[in-house]
Amino acid sequence: MKSASPCGVLLGGLLGLACGTPPPELASQAPPPPGAARSQEPAEPLGDCPATGVAVDPMPRTLPEHEQLDYWLARTAAVADLDRPLFTAKELASHNARIARRNVFGASARADLLAPVDPARLADDLNTRLGYLRGKFESAAYVNPDGAAMTPQQIAALTPVLDAGAFAELPVEVRVALDLIPIRCAPQREPYYTPTRDLAFDRNLCSMARAQEPVQILRPWDGGLALARTPYVMGWIDLGSAALSPPIAAEHVRRFSDGPFVRAARDFDVPEDMSSGKGPEIHVPFASLLPTAARRGEVLLAGPAGVVARRVDPALVSAAGRPLTRRAVLTEAFSFLHRPYGWGDYAGGRDCSRFLMDMFGGLGLVLPRHTSDQALAGAVEDLAPDLPEAERLRRIDAAHRRGVVLLHFPGHIMLYLGRDDAGTPMAIHSFAEYLVPCAGRTDGAPAGERETLLKVDGVHVSDLELGRGTSRGAFIQRISKITVLVPPAPEPRP
């Protein structure tokens, strides 16, 4: 997965490695340190030990009250002011501007779709990506859906030979997605997988552009593809099948990129032609960010004919200009509860980082698209692998008193909720799976021996014990970074 090194940050933004399941190189982690074992509920299942299964819902040890917003509002009010804004308008703008800095986030930095494209940088970014993928193809770390190694033709398509001349005259063309549009990591439509070939984890799916998001078409490519980017990810789209609006004006590009927005509280449809009330409808999915229009109560929407301003029922969208408070964060987070998981937005779901990006985006706070980059988006504290669990929890709780906390380990990121009435630390997150040990598993046993992979595939509240006694370890043992979303420190003067 992505590292915090400059190269790792760069590849994180380029390759779109979403969260939810560790890649093969991370699946076999060291066993828990001696003395870390802890009693837990009986493993699932206790008799036979199948390779896979389906997790219970709610999660083990998650009580009905843990899935109630009011419960966590009350618990949080015991440690902090629910309604004190966490950022001033100026501090929020400063945070969002920091997410656009390449010296911090590399190619994952938030892109300004109206800024001139640097041809040399774009060629370098793509060559880095193509070289990385070529190595994965040549080593058979990525394979075709049938398990076969990549063909010489597939490998040849990833030869990193682009130069600035390939991007010397880029069109300034931004459209708006009208439906989900797959954004591919490599210049091919076909999926590819790790050798396990779990079809839910297409490693060629960097992300999806969602309805009402701006998409910049950078350059036509071979085979009907086009190199494109949104503010948060770059890749290849199938231009012939992509549901896109006509090109939009620069003033609309800015509004669809930067807002101010209201957030769709649920799916709804708006007639494109209000005069007749007939004809095509613009579909607005849950959590879409809709730019506010000049007239109060109206939003800008893109449809097949272009951008229109439409009045929408206030019950369908969030209030404009909501302050970023703990109450608002919790309210937003629980509106996603039980929504489906999807690696790279597979089948319209959300992986862990997309969940957080969309959730905070509804409150005006910008996050990068991917886990390791989100872990750098605030005040970061690194946790050593051998740090005792009691000290880990002490530091997490101290961070929770300071502000909103994200908990990261390679490949995954969670929103920390705090302690329940019994003192158990809990989190809300979108995740795909976790391991449980089977009866008879011993400490230090190899990955896959006497353990079952349980599918979750959704946004859930859980404790940090999931995975205890397995080759991956419990979530609390794996956390490597605590990130507090607080205003950025002032820049030092030159």
Side-chain angles (χ1 to χ4, degrees), residues 372-444:
S372 63
D373 306 309
Q374 290 184 353
L376 301 177
V380 182
E381 181 177 1
D382 292 301
L383 301 184
D386 58 352
L387 188 69
E389 287 183 36
E391 178 61 16
R392 287 170 171 266
L393 289 170
R394 188 195 69 77
R395 296 187 188 187
I396 290 170
D397 288 332
H400 182 52
R401 290 189 290 272
R402 291 176 54 205
V404 173
V405 170
L406 308 181
L407 301 178
H408 171 265
F409 56 78
H412 192 55
I413 196 161
M414 306 174 278
L415 175 67
Y416 185 56
L417 293 173
R419 304 267 191 152
D420 72 359
D421 289 317
T424 302
M426 309 286 288
I428 183 170
H429 49 134
S430 184
F431 61 123
E433 62 195 28
Y434 67 95
L435 284 170
V436 293
C438 297
R441 179 176 173 84
T442 58
D443 287 347

Side-chain angles (χ1 to χ4, degrees), residues 105-160:
F105 295 100
S108 294
R110 184 86 172 180
D112 182 348
L113 301 188
L114 285 176
V117 177
D118 182 335
R121 175 177 285 173
L122 180 57
D124 184 61
D125 286 350
L126 290 174
N127 280 330
T128 300
R129 179 191 295 202
L130 295 175
Y132 174 87
L133 289 175
R134 184 183 178 107
K136 290 284 192 180
F137 280 25
E138 289 175 335
S139 66
Y142 290 153
V143 298
N144 281 303
D146 61 359
M150 299 295 175
T151 66
Q153 292 79 9
Q154 287 175 302
I155 294 173
L158 299 175
T159 303

Side-chain angles (χ1 to χ4, degrees), residues 27-78:
S28 300
Q29 297 194 351
R38 181 181 300 178
S39 63
Q40 61 177 46
E41 294 181 1
E44 308 167 27
L46 290 174
D48 295 335
C49 192
T52 60
V54 178
V56 296
D57 183 11
M59 297 292 103
R61 301 170 299 277
T62 296
L63 304 175
E65 58 265 32
H66 292 151
E67 295 190 326
Q68 300 299 315
L69 169 63
D70 287 345
Y71 178 85
W72 289 108
L73 290 174
R75 293 299 305 160
T76 304

Side-chain angles (χ1 to χ4, degrees), residues 260-317:
F261 300 107
V262 293
R263 198 205 73 169
R266 58 179 183 266
D267 290 15
F268 62 91
D269 297 296
V270 176
E272 186 172 29
D273 184 356
M274 294 295 288
S275 61
S276 67
K278 300 179 181 179
E281 289 192 323
I282 299 172
H283 180 61
V284 181
F286 164 75
S288 297
L289 296 181
L290 309 176
T292 55
R295 294 179 60 182
R296 186 178 180 84
E298 289 189 338
V299 298
L300 298 180
L301 296 168
V307 176
V308 295
R310 291 287 180 265
R311 183 173 295 277
V312 297
D313 184 341
L316 297 176
V317 296

Side-chain angles (χ1 to χ4, degrees), residues 59-325:
M59 297 292 103
R61 301 170 299 277
T62 296
L63 304 175
E65 58 265 32
H66 292 151
E67 295 190 326
Q68 300 299 315
L69 169 63
D70 287 345
Y71 178 85
W72 289 108
L73 290 174
R75 293 299 305 160
T76 304
V79 297
D81 184 341
L82 284 174
D83 297 307
R84 181 180 65 82
L86 300 170
F87 292 74
T88 66
K90 183 177 180 180
E91 289 168 340
L92 189 59
S94 179
H95 165 90
N96 292 346
R98 180 175 178 268
I99 305 302
R101 288 175 49 183
R102 282 192 57 114
N103 64 328
V104 178
F105 295 100
S108 294
R110 184 86 172 180
D112 182 348
L113 301 188
L114 285 176
V117 177
D118 182 335
R121 175 177 285 173
L122 180 57
D124 184 61
D125 286 350
L126 290 174
N127 280 330
T128 300
R129 179 191 295 202
L130 295 175
Y132 174 87
L133 289 175
R134 184 183 178 107
K136 290 284 192 180
F137 280 25
E138 289 175 335
S139 66
Y142 290 153
V143 298
N144 281 303
D146 61 359
M150 299 295 175
T151 66
Q153 292 79 9
Q154 287 175 302
I155 294 173
L158 299 175
T159 303
V161 294
L162 298 167
D163 60 26
F167 307 103
E169 297 183 6
L170 292 176
V172 180
E173 179 180 299
V174 178
R175 301 170 180 250
V176 177
L178 305 181
D179 201 348
L180 290 169
I181 299 174
I183 300 178
R184 299 294 180 183
C185 301
Q188 64 178 59
R189 293 179 178 82
E190 299 74 24
Y192 50 81
Y193 303 92
T194 63
T196 59
R197 288 185 293 144
D198 185 335
L199 300 186
F201 296 95
D202 174 5
R203 303 301 168 129
N204 195 25
L205 184 59
C206 270
S207 191
M208 292 264 198
R210 290 181 176 265
Q212 301 304 313
E213 291 183 348
V215 179
Q216 184 178 38
I217 311 301
L218 290 171
R219 182 182 185 273
W221 216 264
D222 296 337
L225 300 177
L227 180 67
R229 67 177 180 174
T230 70
Y232 54 83
V233 70
M234 180 170 65
W236 286 266
I237 66 173
D238 184 336
L239 200 54
S241 64
L244 289 164
S245 75
I248 63 175
E251 63 183 284
H252 289 146
V253 175
R254 181 61 65 206
R255 299 299 296 278
F256 276 87
S257 297
D258 299 336
F261 300 107
V262 293
R263 198 205 73 169
R266 58 179 183 266
D267 290 15
F268 62 91
D269 297 296
V270 176
E272 186 172 29
D273 184 356
M274 294 295 288
S275 61
S276 67
K278 300 179 181 179
E281 289 192 323
I282 299 172
H283 180 61
V284 181
F286 164 75
S288 297
L289 296 181
L290 309 176
T292 55
R295 294 179 60 182
R296 186 178 180 84
E298 289 189 338
V299 298
L300 298 180
L301 296 168
V307 176
V308 295
R310 291 287 180 265
R311 183 173 295 277
V312 297
D313 184 341
L316 297 176
V317 296
S318 64
R322 291 176 296 166
L324 180 60
T325 63

